[in-house]
Amino acid sequence: QVQLLESGGGVVQAGGSLTLSCAASRRTFNRDAVGWFRQAPGKEREFVATIHRTGSTYYADSVKGRFTISRDNAKKTGNLQMNNLKPEDTAVYYCAARDAILTAPYYTSVDDYSTWGQGTQVIVSS
């Protein structure tokens, strides 16, 4: 069964904004950490942002100050607001989730996550 489904990708000019959404059907969503990763052609999947079950957030340096991760446990959704987009942000963006230990640090590795969405394409034109 599909547990994570991303939406909101598209084509945008440099300097523009997009909001990605991740709809979860996991029963444990309110105890999950949610992460966003991206993968550009020919490159490895890389960490973008994560939000802990506590609501605390952590970002990759490349997106800090431009992207904002959030979650709505009642709606079982995670969002990634992306502002001031750059051509180097072009990639397939993936949502991921895992059960989070309350006292654990931020989960920033691909290997930390057990459940992934199918990805949504973001293209930023110069």
Side-chain angles (χ1 to χ4, degrees), residues 65-77:
R66 300 187 298 122
F67 290 11
T68 302
I69 189 172
S70 62
R71 65 189 296 159
D72 185 330
N73 288 340
K75 295 181 179 179
K76 290 190 176 182
T77 58

Side-chain angles (χ1 to χ4, degrees), residues 31-37 46-54 56-60 69 71 96-114 116:
R31 300 197 306 268
D32 286 348
V34 177
W36 286 94
F37 291 75
E46 65 175 7
F47 167 76
V48 175
T50 185
I51 183 165
H52 205 281
R53 60 184 286 185
T54 60
S56 59
T57 59
Y58 185 78
Y59 298 90
I69 189 172
R71 65 189 296 159
R98 62 156 290 157
D99 185 55
I101 299 170
L102 195 60
T103 56
Y106 296 111
Y107 298 101
T108 61
S109 169
V110 169
D111 293 337
D112 286 334
Y113 291 85
S114 56
W116 293 82

Side-chain angles (χ1 to χ4, degrees), residues 2-125:
V2 176
Q3 296 198 57
L4 297 174
L5 186 63
E6 302 98 333
S7 61
V11 180
V12 63
Q13 288 189 331
S17 299
L18 281 175
T19 300
L20 305 183
S21 293
C22 176
S25 57
R26 288 166 58 87
R27 292 184 295 108
T28 60
F29 184 77
N30 64 321
R31 300 197 306 268
D32 286 348
V34 177
W36 286 94
F37 291 75
R38 65 187 182 187
Q39 188 166 18
K43 294 188 176 182
E44 293 188 352
R45 193 169 298 188
E46 65 175 7
F47 167 76
V48 175
T50 185
I51 183 165
H52 205 281
R53 60 184 286 185
T54 60
S56 59
T57 59
Y58 185 78
Y59 298 90
D61 288 342
S62 58
V63 306
K64 201 173 295 182
R66 300 187 298 122
F67 290 11
T68 302
I69 189 172
S70 62
R71 65 189 296 159
D72 185 330
N73 288 340
K75 295 181 179 179
K76 290 190 176 182
T77 58
N79 293 318
L80 186 68
Q81 172 69 41
M82 306 185 295
N83 297 327
N84 190 21
L85 283 161
K86 304 175 181 180
E88 51 264 43
D89 294 319
T90 294
V92 177
Y93 282 72
Y94 297 89
C95 171
R98 62 156 290 157
D99 185 55
I101 299 170
L102 195 60
T103 56
Y106 296 111
Y107 298 101
T108 61
S109 169
V110 169
D111 293 337
D112 286 334
Y113 291 85
S114 56
T115 302
W116 293 82
Q118 86 292 345
T120 185
Q121 176 76 57
V122 172
I123 297 174
V124 184
S125 62

